[in-house]
Amino acid sequence: MAEKLRPGNGKRIARERIDILFAQAAEWADGDTGRAERCIALARRIAMKQRLRMPKRYRRQFCRTCYGYLVPGRTARVRIQHGKVIVTCLLCRDQRRYPVVKEHNGKV
């Protein structure tokens, strides 16, 4: 009979793989955007399979509409207006607005 895996082990491995995939996407974003988008797609599938929330630092690195990797100046336009950061995906023209957070005691 097959030995059962510990339940927390899969989630830890999934987080590590997501970290690796986003690091690879950052490396490939300059040259081959197709590979970077594939890394994002794989990371999303791993997170969905393990029922993990994508960490906040990664959620803002890809477009929620077309799942393209966002690089400011190349695939994304970043503007600050009326107390909000407006990120426009240049691939699909989708816009996301995030509030500007003021720094308190060295923490964001």
Side-chain angles (χ1 to χ4, degrees):
M1 204 186 259
E3 185 178 322
K4 284 191 172 186
L5 295 174
R6 294 184 186 137
N9 215 13
K11 292 189 187 296
R12 181 183 54 81
I13 292 171
R15 282 187 197 99
E16 290 173 3
R17 288 182 179 172
I18 289 170
D19 290 338
I20 291 168
L21 285 167
F22 269 91
Q24 284 293 321
E27 287 179 23
W28 286 331
D30 292 334
D32 190 4
T33 57
R35 280 186 171 182
E37 290 175 14
R38 178 70 178 145
C39 287
I40 300 299
L42 288 172
R44 285 187 64 249
R45 286 189 64 198
I46 289 170
M48 286 189 287
K49 184 76 172 176
Q50 289 296 321
R51 296 183 181 173
L52 288 174
R53 254 185 95 104
M54 193 72 72
K56 191 177 214 177
R57 64 181 185 269
Y58 295 144
R59 269 185 271 161
R60 293 187 178 183
Q61 288 183 3
F62 66 92
C63 177
R64 292 186 187 184
T65 305
C66 69
Y67 304 116
Y69 188 73
L70 298 177
V71 179
R74 177 166 284 179
T75 58
R77 179 185 307 131
V78 181
R79 299 284 187 260
I80 299 175
Q81 195 174 49
H82 304 295
K84 295 191 183 334
V85 177
I86 302 171
V87 180
T88 304
C89 175
L90 297 178
L91 303 173
C92 68
R93 301 293 185 208
D94 184 52
Q95 289 185 341
R96 294 289 164 182
R97 290 171 176 83
Y98 304 107
V100 174
V101 180
K102 293 185 180 178
E103 216 172 292
H104 295 288
N105 297 333
K107 294 182 181 177
V108 176

